[in-house]
Each structure stands twice: as structure tokens, then as C-alpha cells.
Amino acid sequence: MLDHVSITVPDIAAVRSFYDAVMQALGYPCVYVKDGAVGYGLRARPDAPGRSYISILQSPAMQPDPRRHWCFKAASHEQVRAFYAAALQAGGRDDGPPGPRPHYHDRYYAAFVIDPAGNRIEAACHV
């Protein structure tokens, strides 16, 4: 169901060893470390759409946090469009209409909305 997730924390150094341990136990590799961020898992691609990925990002902000969002897998462009329409119908706000996102990869198709609580939600199709 989930494509990728971003989680925010107030201090990345204080949680890095925890996430390293739990992700290793689950078999998810640490794939990057930068100032204020660490990532685990493998990003989905056209040849591997079933992959999942999580980022832990340092952020002093409380909820809602604009750096955090949840991305749900969509099997088709039609599902992305249906997600977007249903979200807007149910009180969500536009944060990026359905369409290609070639800066991720050449087949990435997604839509973004802000839910009524202020959380950023995405649906993405990789094929």
C-alpha cells in the first residue's frame, strides 16, 4: 500500500541509532545519510515498483509539518486521478494535480493533496 513515507523528528542524532537498529532488524538498508536526514529501503522505479522507502528528517516543527507526507501506491494513472478527485471532494486541498513528475523518474505519475488536518498526502504510480 505505501510507496514511501517521510517522518520528522526534532533531533536526527538522538534517533539515528534507533532507526538504524530497527531498520536493520527489518532488513531495510540505510541508503543515505546527510545533515539532518537519513533514508532506508529502496526507492520504487519502473523496473521495481514494489519497493518501499522511508526518510527520517530533522524538523523542529510540530504537526502539521510540511516536510512530512505519506505516499500511497496506485496501480494506474486512473487511480491517481480518482484519489485526487475523491480527496478534493472530501474536503482536501490541492497541493499538486495529477500528472507526470519526471524529476523523480520518467514514468512517475502522482497527485498531492493536503488533508483537512494539514497533512500532505500523495498517490503515485510508477508504471
Side-chain angles (χ1 to χ4, degrees):
M1 176 192 302
L2 295 176
D3 186 271
H4 59 276
V5 177
S6 299
I7 296 175
T8 56
V9 298
D11 182 358
I12 203 83
V15 300
R16 168 81 195 281
S17 62
F18 169 82
Y19 278 102
D20 281 349
V22 297
M23 292 299 158
Q24 181 181 15
L26 294 170
Y28 298 118
C30 180
V31 293
Y32 81 86
V33 176
K34 343 184 214 187
D35 230 9
V38 61
Y40 303 92
L42 298 171
R43 291 189 184 274
R45 303 178 40 86
D47 61 339
R51 293 178 175 176
S52 294
Y53 183 82
I54 187 169
S55 293
I56 313 301
L57 306 172
Q58 186 165 303
S59 176
M62 299 301 290
Q63 291 184 15
D65 185 333
R67 292 193 64 188
R68 181 185 59 232
H69 80 282
W70 291 267
C71 182
F72 298 94
K73 287 190 178 289
S76 66
H77 294 196
E78 292 77 20
Q79 278 189 340
V80 171
R81 290 189 292 270
F83 157 87
Y84 181 79
L88 295 183
Q89 180 69 27
R93 296 184 323 235
D94 168 62
D95 198 39
R101 303 296 193 273
H103 54 287
Y104 295 126
H105 64 65
D106 64 344
R107 293 187 188 169
Y108 200 104
Y109 187 92
F112 297 85
V113 297
I114 305 296
D115 77 7
N119 293 302
R120 189 166 192 245
I121 309 297
E122 174 188 3
C125 178
H126 297 279
V127 294

